[in-house]
Amino acid sequence: MLYRPESLDAALALMAEPGAVLLAGGTDVYPALRDGMPPDRMIDLTRVADLRGIALADGTWRIGGATTWTDIVKAELPPRLAGLQLAGREVGSIQIQNAGTVAGNICNASPAADGVPALMALDAAVEIAGPEGLRTLPLHTFLKGPRQTDLQPGEIVTALLIPDGPGRGAFLKLGARKYLVISIAMISAVVEIGAGKITNAAVAVGACSPVARRLTALEAQLTGATAADIPALCAKADLSDLSPITDVRASADYRGEAVPTLVARTVLTAMEAPHVA
Amino acid sequence: MSLDEPQGHLSLVLNGAKITVPADATARLSDMLRDVAGARDVKVGCNAGDCGACTVLVDGDPVCACLTAAGQVQGRRVDTQAGLVEHDDIAQRLAKSFQRHQAAQCGICTPGMMVSAVALLRTGLPLNEAVVADALGGVLCRCTGYRKIIAAILDVSSDADPQAEGSVGERTARLDGWPKVSGAERFGDDVAPADALTVRAIRSPFHRAGFTFGDLDAYRARTGLDLILTAKDIPGDNLFGVIPGFIDQPVFAVEEARYKGEAVAAVVGPAALLDTLPPFPVTWDERPANLTPAGAARAPLLHPDREANVMCRGHVARGNAVDAMKTAAHTVSGAFSTGFIEHAYIEPEAATARRVGDRIEVQCCTQAPYMNRDGLAGILGLAPENVRILPTAVGGGFGSKLDLTAQPYVALAAWILNRPVRMTYTRGESIATSTKRHPSETWMEIGADAQGRIVAARFQGTFNTGAYSSWGPTVANRVPIHASGPYLTPNYVADSVGIHTNTASSGAFRGFGVPQSSVAQEQLYDMLAEKLGIDRLEFRRMNCLQNGDPTVTGQVFDTGMGIDACFDALKPDWTRALAEAKAFNASHTTVKRGVGVAGGWYGCGNTSMSNPSTIRAGVTPGGEIVLHQGAVDIGQGSNTVITQIFAEALCVSVSQVTLVGPDTDVTPDAGKTSASRQTFITGNAARLAGEALRAQILRLGNAGTGATIAATEDGLTVSEDGETRRIALPEGTPYALEVVESYDPPTLPLDENGQGSPYAVFGTAAQMVELEVDLDLGTVKLLRFVAAHDVGRAINPTLVEGQIEGGIAQGIGLALMEEFLPGRTENLHDYLIPTIGDVPDVTSIIVESGDAHGPYGAKGLGEHCLIPTAPAVLNAIAHASGARIHHLPATPDRVRAAILAKAKT
């Protein structure tokens, strides 16, 4: 049975009976079936109007959970969110971007989720609706491990909340081919510039730890840095929070070694880009 | 839910028409469209969003139908390729452009490509290659190399019609192309009748395992299955294979499964029942498995009569390589390896069988209908004449659809149940169990004199042939003949060995082992040229075979050895590229540019074996000219090429020829679509048939040899001296006039040192590539290929270009990203093949040196296209970075490691 509620309340009511699988773009739900049968009960969230759309209110960008990557890519957003838009363009393919949603990306909780580093670098929070009402928690708290989140039975991710602000974002994905590729590593950075120096920096790394991580020590060191300082700072960055593994895509050593290079390039891209507010 | 539809029904606007269909709303939209709504132009290649073949428009936006719930399109508009081409002006123009550019080869990805392209074209965005690639990046193609697809989209505004006519040498549009671009083509899974039962195989989850069944009769009774098949249900021999003396693969394993994915049983019933079966009653006893040749000598024997798990060996020796090597002024040597390569055609294996009296008929996607027929006859215990193979369109083959896959299961079930039975492999099943390119471990030493002339070469190659032989003996035999490359090598010794392991069988894959040996030989040539201080292209040019030179088997070609012309054709681009790379590198530190070149050769047809093709043709009493063309077109173009040759010989236009395809009941054996043999061998049979039919017609019409023949609405006419007359054709069923002609290429057996004439024809090629290496990340960006191919005579130059571009794409995959790891990369997101963004511009230079035997001088070229690609890429990486890659694929981590290792020395 496929339920297609048109309001959040209706969706939550359907969730009250356990065992249903939430469906939006289907880009993770169906591949996970391998070639097996769909679950008996699925709740399609794509017709819940409040779950889709991007809006700025009271200094916070609210991206509805069922907003597709194409919606994000095509939206008029400030340079600060450019990394998120670039990440959206790297999600799978046009077909996947047209269907896949931002909430689906974080709920799938893949260590290689393309959207997560960009959202983390933007200090995104997750808005969740459940039987007890709304709650909000930081994305890095929401993501607990590979395929593990803080989402409780009966709950639905309703939005990602991103503080508005100055600066410019960037995103780099490293893979073994151009399209439809799972990352070896990826970086998102948001930097604010004053008088040619970084006044604030956020850097997140994906696919190099069970959950994407912010490089907080490096972020502190980047404050006050000029473009010329970036490569050296990144080369000696403390990456001890990362724990890259060897898999079919690359070796652990390679990942560990590529990260500083990728971080430097991402930060420099964000710095060099025009329109830094 | 809407109240408009009855319970369990969905309404949508499909291709402009409102339909209401019974459907499970949670089912995949792709399944609903294909099975319920009849939209079989929606192709399922992976069921995971990895290939894009199922792309449809939902309210105008492209999505993967396999990732969409059927219920999500309730009340919405869904457009598929066939509907778009029928109703949409842009799609109609696009279909014509695809035909003009031969952008469809096998056609299985074409629906996804065209639907994605229509969405792009509707935006009205200015078109360029980058925009097209972004729009089509989600659709994989394994045949074309994407270049002609890009060209077709960029050229969509042209009003030109595809070229419908054409004799030998002309760019005639594919004669079988329109169904592919209009959505009418029917592939292996598209032909199954609605009432067919489904077979599903029970496969070993372990690389090696003993097994015992529980109570199968009770299980069948409890579940309501129609049938359970195991080894004891096979009326004939529980064995199949492709090489006499190496028929060693069971349909169902007995007592022990020898590789992960081997079938031990099969269940038969309605698909819906199979989806909900309880666990099959089988108990597995996992046993230690050996997956690589290194452990094979100590491992338990997979086949008791094959000592040390050695399948077979190959050997070629000429002169005295060991002694001559001591005289060399310069020598180089090295060890190289390549992994399993998956064919990754976008169409998984599929077959449907039905019993007709005491005969069995099987529709399937195959490269070898007669070999399939004979194989099934042995399994079913029937005479070959009682098995009929009806090939469907084939959605890519590249060698793996030579072997039997789904056919035995459907044939057995249909035979026993007397009901139609279908089977389509899942992507995981296809990758886990189909044959692969042999992993190779090679060592080679090459020596040259002080002037740079090759004096000797020694080669040793170990090939992992997997659990069963398949085409392993062919690889073992071919490699020593080819490992010298197309170069004069007076002293030579090459040994190969195929080793059994507990993996899927390695079999035929475009090049039969030659791409692997070429990775060693062509890289060592660069290293030797560097030692000698000779330009790498010049070094190859001075050593390459020329007419009159003996090959390493002592075969001498007096005409048609065109590799020298191929190298010469590259010279202007080579000089330009080297200069450009030098200038670029002078001003860049992190990214370095490199240029690489490699040569290659390949003998067309089977090695020192009779491998004839037969062509049947006739004229009906009504005057229709019919060509029975049995060379299966798996996308490479034999339907068009063979018809062009036949029409040329008959002196009629191709549009006057009606094609009858490969059906073993009515079309004679044109042999296998493999070994680059169809243009050469079947082409020759077609030429002979055309000439013979022409002679019959002219004799009947009492006309001279210069007369013109035409099939008209009024019947067959001949014209000469300005006068046209209708020929009175005799009665005959089905033909008034009929010819059957065969051609078998002249070859000679090889002696104990591999000396002899193994092939009547060699084709040769030289390719160069320009690329950039990011030294800090080890990533490689390809910029451009220039490929010079001696095809003897290009029957259809656009088809030749399509083969070159597609072969290069597969060579790129071999070089940079592809490796099948048993049990780990059994899908198309962990097993990576090049996307549209990974294949750069390809300039094809067609060299036509003619051939003593080929039809109108034509040679085969299918396999040649990828042989030089990987070593050219690796040589360019070394040129750019100094890092020499010995173990493929050259993924970023391996390239970076090689760069770091080089920096330490």
Side-chain angles (χ1 to χ4, degrees):
Chain A
M1 185 66 162
L2 181 71
Y3 299 94
R4 306 197 72 205
E6 295 184 4
S7 72
L8 184 59
D9 286 346
L12 288 169
L14 286 164
M15 292 290 284
E17 187 183 336
V21 170
L22 288 177
L23 176 73
T27 59
D28 288 315
V29 169
Y30 281 97
L33 302 174
R34 302 296 175 102
D35 294 279
M37 292 283 285
D40 287 340
R41 293 178 67 240
M42 294 169 89
I43 301 171
D44 175 18
L45 298 174
T46 58
R47 292 211 304 183
V48 179
D50 291 349
L51 288 184
R52 187 162 177 179
I54 304 170
L56 176 65
D58 302 329
T60 298
W61 288 94
R62 185 179 193 282
I63 303 178
T67 303
T68 67
W69 288 106
T70 297
D71 294 338
I72 290 172
V73 168
K74 289 185 174 173
E76 291 280 336
L77 295 175
R80 185 176 180 82
L81 274 64
L84 182 64
Q85 291 184 296
L86 287 168
R89 297 176 72 98
E90 299 274 359
V91 174
S93 62
I94 295 282
Q95 287 85 339
I96 306 299
Q97 293 159 27
N98 281 341
T101 63
V102 62
N105 196 243
I106 66 165
C107 290
N108 190 51
S110 162
D114 289 304
V116 170
L119 290 165
M120 274 193 177
L122 290 165
D123 294 316
V126 185
E127 181 192 88
I128 298 168
E132 313 298 320
L134 281 182
R135 66 185 179 112
T136 301
L137 72 168
L139 177 59
H140 63 83
T141 311
F142 175 81
L143 293 168
K144 301 176 87 70
R147 313 291 173 190
Q148 293 175 329
T149 70
D150 194 58
L151 200 65
Q152 302 301 310
E155 290 189 325
I156 294 170
V157 171
T158 47
L160 276 293
L161 306 175
I162 297 171
D164 191 26
R168 171 123 195 152
F171 177 85
L172 266 188
K173 174 171 175 172
L174 176 62
R177 70 179 179 188
K178 176 78 193 267
Y179 298 103
L180 280 172
V181 68
I182 299 173
S183 295
I184 294 170
M186 62 196 140
I187 314 289
S188 193
V190 178
V191 296
E192 296 164 34
I193 306 284
K197 292 181 177 173
I198 293 178
T199 59
N200 206 352
V203 178
V205 180
C208 289
S209 45
V211 174
R213 297 296 292 254
R214 286 276 290 267
L215 301 180
T216 48
L218 176 66
E219 290 171 3
Q221 291 163 353
L222 287 172
T223 304
T226 66
D229 303 329
I230 302 301
L233 280 172
C234 292
K236 60 181 173 59
D238 175 8
L239 303 178
S240 57
D241 283 349
L242 303 181
S243 48
I245 59 166
T246 294
D247 62 14
V248 297
R249 284 171 269 284
S251 67
D253 285 350
Y254 173 75
R255 285 191 161 95
E257 206 224 351
V259 165
T261 302
L262 291 167
V263 169
R265 291 185 190 181
T266 312
V267 171
L268 283 170
T269 302
M271 289 180 78
E272 289 161 3
H275 315 303
V276 175
Chain B
M1 300 295 292
S2 163
L3 301 177
D4 296 343
E5 296 77 32
Q7 185 71 29
H9 284 62
L10 293 170
S11 288
L12 63 149
V13 178
L14 176 61
N15 293 323
K18 184 173 182 196
I19 61 167
T20 300
V21 291
D24 176 356
T26 63
R28 296 165 188 267
L29 175 61
S30 47
D31 291 340
M32 186 273 270
L33 290 173
R34 286 178 58 79
D35 299 337
V36 184
R40 297 214 164 170
D41 52 321
V42 178
K43 306 304 181 190
V44 175
C46 71
N47 254 352
D50 297 328
C51 79
C54 68
T55 299
V56 299
L57 300 182
V58 175
D59 288 342
D61 293 327
V63 297
C64 289
C66 75
L67 304 181
T68 306
Q72 288 181 307
V73 302
Q74 165 68 35
R76 301 173 75 182
R77 200 176 80 239
V78 175
D79 294 288
T80 72
Q81 178 203 19
L84 289 168
V85 173
E86 193 177 345
H87 302 297
D88 182 287
D89 178 56
I90 289 175
Q92 286 164 8
R93 298 184 75 92
L94 187 64
K96 273 175 65 178
S97 194
F98 263 54
Q99 267 293 77
R100 280 198 304 277
H101 291 272
Q102 297 185 359
Q105 284 190 20
C106 83
I108 193 74
C109 76
T110 310
M113 291 290 180
M114 287 183 55
V115 170
S116 302
V118 167
L120 167 67
L121 294 169
R122 283 177 174 177
T123 66
L125 284 173
L127 294 179
N128 58 48
E129 181 172 336
V131 168
V132 171
D134 278 349
L136 272 63
V139 190
L140 297 178
C141 171
R142 192 57 155 167
C143 293
T144 65
Y146 303 99
R147 303 309 306 181
K148 300 222 177 286
I149 293 170
I150 294 169
I153 294 167
L154 295 177
D155 185 41
V156 71
S157 60
S158 165
D159 288 319
D161 283 321
Q163 184 175 337
E165 297 291 354
S167 51
V168 164
E170 292 194 47
R171 295 178 181 269
T172 310
R174 293 188 70 101
L175 300 177
D176 56 3
W178 190 254
K180 299 176 194 292
V181 300
S182 68
E185 188 69 292
R186 291 295 172 261
F187 294 87
D189 185 55
D190 300 337
V191 298
D195 63 341
L197 297 172
T198 298
V199 192
R200 215 160 275 171
I202 307 299
R203 298 184 180 278
S204 170
F206 301 110
H207 297 298
R208 178 170 170 246
F211 60 91
T212 51
F213 295 124
D215 187 339
L216 297 184
D217 288 337
Y219 180 78
R220 191 179 75 78
R222 177 160 62 93
T223 55
L225 283 170
D226 288 270
L227 182 67
I228 295 173
L229 290 167
T230 66
K232 67 179 176 47
D233 299 300
I234 295 176
D237 297 327
N238 182 24
L239 273 182
F240 67 95
V242 292
I243 308 277
F246 294 90
I247 309 296
D248 57 12
Q249 183 161 1
V251 177
F252 294 114
V254 177
E255 292 174 0
E256 180 173 287
R258 296 183 176 97
Y259 70 95
K260 179 182 173 295
E262 181 161 22
V264 299
V267 292
V268 188
L273 176 66
L274 301 189
D275 283 335
T276 56
L277 283 179
F280 189 80
V282 58
T283 305
W284 301 101
D285 166 27
E286 186 181 5
R287 296 171 182 171
N290 177 55
L291 303 184
T292 61
R298 295 178 308 280
L301 296 182
L302 276 89
H303 303 273
D305 58 337
R306 294 182 190 156
E307 198 180 332
N309 285 311
V310 171
M311 175 194 58
C312 73
R313 298 176 186 276
H315 174 70
V316 169
R318 181 167 185 81
N320 188 327
V322 174
D323 287 350
M325 195 68 76
K326 294 174 188 160
T327 72
H330 300 280
T331 64
V332 289
S333 65
F336 301 85
S337 69
T338 65
F340 280 111
I341 305 292
E342 157 66 16
H343 298 71
Y345 25 71
I346 305 305
E347 181 205 27
E349 296 79 356
T352 297
R354 75 194 82 214
R355 181 172 179 165
V356 181
D358 59 356
R359 302 184 77 216
I360 191 86
E361 295 188 352
V362 179
Q363 292 172 281
C364 55
C365 46
T366 177
Q367 298 176 238
Y370 276 84
M371 199 173 65
N372 288 176
R373 181 195 70 164
D374 296 351
L376 286 181
I379 292 164
L380 293 170
L382 297 174
E385 306 77 59
N386 285 341
V387 179
R388 181 182 189 183
I389 302 290
L390 292 141
T392 63
V394 183
F398 318 115
S400 194
K401 286 177 182 166
L402 293 161
D403 301 60
L404 289 172
T405 54
Q407 298 96 327
Y409 309 118
V410 294
L412 281 165
W415 184 255
I416 293 168
L417 293 171
N418 201 15
R419 287 188 59 179
V421 177
R422 71 191 293 185
M423 182 181 204
T424 300
Y425 280 16
T426 65
R427 176 55 57 182
E429 197 173 24
S430 174
I431 296 185
T433 69
S434 64
T435 62
K436 302 282 174 286
R437 180 182 299 287
H438 285 70
S440 68
E441 296 163 21
T442 58
W443 175 88
M444 194 170 191
E445 181 181 35
I446 306 176
D449 66 18
Q451 288 72 46
R453 297 270 172 196
I454 299 295
V455 295
R458 298 197 293 156
F459 174 89
Q460 292 164 10
T462 301
F463 293 86
N464 181 352
T465 206
Y468 301 104
S469 296
S470 181
W471 297 90
T474 307
V475 169
N477 290 334
R478 251 192 198 271
V479 166
I481 297 169
H482 288 81
S484 64
Y487 305 98
L488 181 61
T489 310
N491 298 285
Y492 178 75
V493 61
D495 289 285
S496 63
V497 60
I499 303 287
H500 286 300
T501 67
N502 293 111
T503 66
S505 303
S506 299
F509 192 165
R510 209 170 188 173
F512 280 106
V514 182
Q516 294 98 305
S517 64
S518 172
V519 162
Q521 175 262 315
E522 286 290 332
Q523 291 208 82
L524 289 169
Y525 260 55
D526 260 30
M527 293 156 73
L528 196 48
E530 191 181 345
K531 267 195 168 184
L532 284 154
I534 301 176
D535 172 82
R536 294 173 286 151
L537 179 66
E538 174 56 28
F539 177 65
R540 288 173 170 81
R541 177 63 179 82
M542 68 187 276
N543 281 295
C544 71
L545 288 165
Q546 302 194 32
N547 290 329
D549 288 337
T551 69
V552 290
T553 71
Q555 190 172 9
V556 175
F557 289 89
D558 294 325
T559 65
M561 185 54 75
I563 184 66
D564 50 358
C566 293
F567 285 128
D568 287 343
L570 295 185
K571 188 76 193 308
D573 276 298
W574 177 254
T575 306
R576 170 194 56 75
L578 286 176
E580 288 178 8
K582 193 174 176 185
F584 180 91
N585 291 340
S587 60
H588 291 76
T589 52
T590 303
V591 175
K592 291 289 186 184
R593 198 169 277 190
V595 189
V597 63
W601 68 333
Y602 191 84
C604 302
N606 296 0
T607 309
S608 289
M609 277 169 58
S610 169
N611 62 128
S613 284
T614 302
I615 284 282
R616 174 189 183 198
V619 179
T620 65
E624 184 182 16
I625 299 167
V626 182
L627 172 64
H628 291 254
Q629 197 293 97
V632 179
D633 195 323
I634 58 174
Q636 88 282 24
S638 52
N639 279 335
T640 307
V641 162
I642 302 302
T643 307
Q644 280 180 274
I645 291 170
F646 174 78
E648 177 92 6
L650 187 58
C651 298
V652 301
S653 55
V654 290
S655 64
Q656 298 195 324
V657 179
T658 301
L659 265 178
V660 172
D663 165 348
T664 57
D665 269 13
V666 299
T667 299
D669 188 3
K672 301 170 285 287
T673 292
S674 74
S676 299
R677 58 179 296 287
Q678 294 295 22
T679 296
F680 166 46
I681 299 175
T682 304
N684 261 326
R687 176 182 57 82
L688 294 169
E691 289 169 357
L693 190 60
R694 177 173 173 81
Q696 277 197 28
I697 292 167
L698 295 183
R699 201 178 310 127
L700 192 66
N702 200 22
T705 54
T708 305
I709 297 170
T712 72
E713 287 181 2
D714 299 329
L716 200 65
T717 64
V718 291
S719 308
E720 64 180 341
D721 304 330
E723 182 194 331
T724 296
R725 58 186 184 276
R726 186 168 174 275
I727 295 185
L729 290 163
E731 288 305 305
T733 307
Y735 298 120
L737 305 175
E738 183 173 349
V739 295
V740 176
E741 292 290 337
S742 294
Y743 179 80
D744 195 6
T747 61
L748 291 172
L750 301 176
D751 68 14
E752 69 278 8
N753 282 319
Q755 298 298 295
S757 296
Y759 312 104
V761 176
F762 275 90
T764 56
Q767 295 178 356
M768 57 166 278
V769 61
E770 299 158 64
L771 54 73
E772 288 172 0
V773 178
D774 184 323
L775 300 181
D776 289 349
L777 293 175
T779 49
V780 174
K781 181 182 176 192
L782 302 173
L783 301 175
R784 186 185 186 199
F785 278 87
V786 183
H789 285 247
D790 175 24
V791 300
R793 173 94 186 270
I795 303 294
N796 185 318
T798 311
L799 284 172
V800 169
E801 292 162 4
Q803 285 296 295
I804 293 172
E805 292 162 9
I808 282 175
Q810 291 184 351
I812 290 169
L814 171 66
L816 296 181
M817 65 185 79
E818 297 188 33
E819 184 172 22
F820 167 68
L821 302 167
R824 294 178 67 194
T825 59
E826 294 170 356
N827 56 60
L828 290 176
H829 54 263
D830 290 322
Y831 187 88
L832 301 183
I833 67 172
T835 68
I836 197 169
D838 299 301
V839 184
D841 183 50
V842 176
T843 301
S844 295
I845 302 173
I846 298 175
V847 174
E848 296 184 303
S849 69
D851 185 80
H853 299 284
Y856 305 103
K859 306 172 181 184
L861 84 145
E863 340 236 342
H864 313 71
C865 298
L866 78 71
I867 290 169
T869 308
V873 169
L874 298 168
N875 284 338
I877 291 172
H879 181 229
S881 67
R884 181 60 66 183
I885 307 297
H886 288 252
H887 306 289
L888 301 189
T891 47
D893 58 342
R894 291 187 188 182
V895 174
R896 175 65 181 161
I899 290 168
L900 289 174
K902 174 81 180 171
K904 280 184 191 159
T905 57

